[in-house]
Amino acid sequence: DIQMTQSPSSLSASVGDRLTITCRASQSISTYLHWYQQRPGKAPRLLIHTASSLQSGVPSRFSGSGSGAEFILAISSLQPEDVATYYCQQTYNTPFTFGPGTKVHIK
Amino acid sequence: QLQLQESGPGLVKPSETLSLICTVSGGSISNSSYYWGWVRQRPGKGLEWIGSIYYTGTISYTPSLQSRVTISIDRSKNQFSLNLRSVTAADTAVYYCARRDGTKYNWFDPWGQGTLVTVSS
């Protein structure tokens, strides 16, 4: 199985701050990497697919980059509604696997 | 707008079978561009892919559950289902159904709201 790791596991930032989350795969996965946001008590929501493509309806402050085995999710200006846990997922091979998540708090 | 809704018992006894249905509305489950899948989330934990099915019946499962899980599709009802046999407390989780992109990259969107299933006597 392809193992996914994320760093940091949690972070706290102020409204308006730029923040980044890193996701690493245990092997190269090209751009078969997707990012999801899960707000407290809600279902996951697709933010970014294929490493850098913004899903329709997602605010442009979210962006993704990377290929191979290292990927970054960036939020350019943190908003209160961005409080959530963010997961990366690889779909290069089955079983599809998710990272452990990064919990984002507001200071 | 496509919507998915999970339904089924919220409480299952140990050793019995967990059975859930996902009803798809606003689109056809027979659309050749998509697969349909299940993901679970144990309390306080991350996301675990369970398996996916195509409208033709092509299926893939995660190896750790493959011996106990069956996913099936009912095109006439625009539904797909999950059966997980011989459950234990470790199967207590929120179960989500989701549409999976079937072109190449396999992302999951949209998701159902999820349903909590507790395994307890």
Side-chain angles (χ1 to χ4, degrees):
Chain A
D1 298 3
I2 297 174
Q3 307 302 316
M4 308 299 293
T5 59
Q6 288 182 233
S7 60
S9 56
S10 68
L11 67 87
S12 187
S14 300
V15 172
D17 282 354
R18 174 180 173 84
L19 62 88
T20 59
I21 298 168
T22 300
C23 174
R24 292 185 176 89
S26 58
Q27 67 176 73
S28 176
I29 57 171
S30 183
T31 56
Y32 287 75
L33 187 285
H34 321 296
W35 290 97
Y36 300 87
Q37 175 194 63
Q38 186 176 35
R39 291 175 172 142
K42 299 296 187 182
R45 166 198 180 198
L46 178 68
L47 294 179
I48 303 279
H49 65 81
T50 52
S52 60
S53 294
L54 192 69
Q55 177 66 354
S56 175
V58 173
S60 59
R61 64 181 179 273
F62 292 93
S63 64
S65 62
S67 66
E70 186 163 319
F71 304 86
I72 291 174
L73 173 70
I75 307 176
S76 61
S77 177
L78 187 67
Q79 299 301 305
E81 60 267 31
D82 300 336
V83 169
T85 300
Y86 294 83
Y87 295 94
C88 60
Q89 179 204 26
Q90 69 80 22
T91 57
Y92 184 78
N93 275 345
T94 58
F96 302 141
T97 47
F98 293 85
T102 296
K103 189 172 278 192
V104 173
H105 306 270
I106 298 284
K107 274 184 190 173
Chain B
Q1 182 184 359
L2 190 87
Q3 293 187 318
L4 295 90
Q5 178 69 57
E6 305 88 351
S7 59
L11 181 64
V12 180
K13 290 183 168 57
S15 80
E16 295 191 344
T17 296
L18 179 160
S19 296
L20 296 174
I21 291 172
C22 182
T23 301
V24 178
S25 59
S28 173
I29 205 168
S30 299
N31 188 320
S32 60
S33 295
Y34 302 104
Y35 287 70
W36 307 91
W38 292 94
V39 175
R40 72 179 182 180
Q41 186 170 35
R42 296 182 179 126
K45 301 297 184 183
L47 300 164
E48 179 183 19
W49 175 71
I50 297 172
S52 302
I53 189 166
Y54 195 50
Y55 79 101
T56 57
T58 300
I59 299 171
S60 55
Y61 299 129
T62 192
S64 63
L65 296 174
Q66 186 159 6
S67 63
R68 297 194 293 130
V69 69
T70 301
I71 295 175
S72 58
I73 195 163
D74 187 334
R75 294 165 59 182
S76 67
K77 294 183 179 178
N78 228 34
Q79 295 175 335
F80 62 104
S81 62
L82 171 70
N83 281 336
L84 184 63
R85 298 175 291 279
S86 304
V87 297
T88 70
D91 295 310
T92 294
V94 175
Y95 286 78
Y96 295 100
C97 60
R99 185 182 70 178
R100 180 190 129 192
D101 174 73
T103 51
K104 181 178 179 182
Y105 288 95
N106 301 311
W107 62 82
F108 285 67
D109 179 72
W111 297 56
Q113 66 183 30
T115 187
L116 174 63
V117 179
T118 301
V119 179
S120 175
S121 56

